[in-house]
Amino acid sequence: MATPGCILVSEELLTEWSLSCVHINHLGTLLQKELRRDGEHANAIDLAERVGQRAWALHEELRQHGARNSNAKIQTPQCIQLREELTTRWAENCADIYSLGSILDRELPRNRTYARAIDLAGRAKRRAWTIYSELVQNGANAPATISR
């Protein structure tokens, strides 16, 4: 039973969120490389970098609070008690990553040349949305409405 103002989250779910943040960071890096090919879109490259940085910062924070390197290493999963303010801050961070991804998505021209970049941005947004919605389902206060 969680104490008042705290939320219980499984170690596996915390690890899953952390790994998703690593993937978002990687998608941001791939997106930067994809956009640097033609030398245009400096704003989109900056947004992709910010997405990656925020995801990596969230990954590090999740690791500090009990996330592991891999779910395969969790032999006897534990429930971790987290302060509600902490999970709400994480949800806000995910909402920010999602918003940056949306702005980035709008920056990209809609033609075949940028199909891969558009796909990468969409994948980063979906991962951020998934973490956000799971945080809210597990008791974090919804910081903002994310328009999908």
Side-chain angles (χ1 to χ4, degrees):
M1 190 76 170
T3 57
C6 290
I7 297 169
L8 286 176
V9 177
S10 75
E11 191 175 10
E12 293 159 322
L13 188 55
L14 202 62
T15 299
E16 190 65 37
W17 294 337
S18 176
L19 294 174
S20 284
C21 289
V22 171
H23 289 154
I24 293 169
N25 176 271
H26 181 63
L27 290 167
T29 302
L30 292 175
L31 194 46
Q32 289 175 62
K33 287 181 182 178
E34 192 71 26
L35 293 172
R36 282 199 175 110
R37 275 194 213 154
D38 62 9
E40 296 178 20
H41 310 294
N43 191 38
I45 292 169
D46 178 57
L47 289 168
E49 184 176 350
R50 289 170 52 195
V51 163
Q53 288 171 344
R54 291 211 179 164
W56 192 257
L58 181 55
H59 159 74
E60 290 295 324
E61 196 166 343
L62 289 164
R63 290 288 314 254
Q64 289 174 356
H65 288 88
R68 307 286 179 160
N69 286 330
S70 165
N71 276 337
K73 295 181 180 182
I74 301 173
Q75 295 174 356
T76 52
Q78 306 291 319
C79 273
I80 298 170
Q81 193 166 271
L82 301 167
R83 290 183 335 275
E84 192 174 321
E85 310 87 57
L86 181 64
T87 58
T88 299
R89 191 175 74 232
W90 292 346
E92 288 170 353
N93 200 349
C94 289
D96 288 345
I97 292 168
Y98 184 88
S99 296
L100 285 170
S102 296
I103 295 167
L104 172 61
D105 192 36
R106 285 192 295 271
E107 286 275 322
L108 299 171
R110 297 291 180 227
N111 63 43
R112 285 193 161 196
T113 308
Y114 296 97
R116 183 165 166 20
I118 292 167
D119 177 58
L120 293 168
R123 288 165 58 191
K125 282 174 43 181
R126 282 189 298 277
R127 283 192 180 270
W129 173 258
T130 300
I131 299 169
Y132 172 84
S133 61
E134 288 176 352
L135 278 160
V136 171
Q137 284 174 355
N138 280 281
N141 291 325
T145 303
I146 298 178
S147 58
R148 296 193 79 198

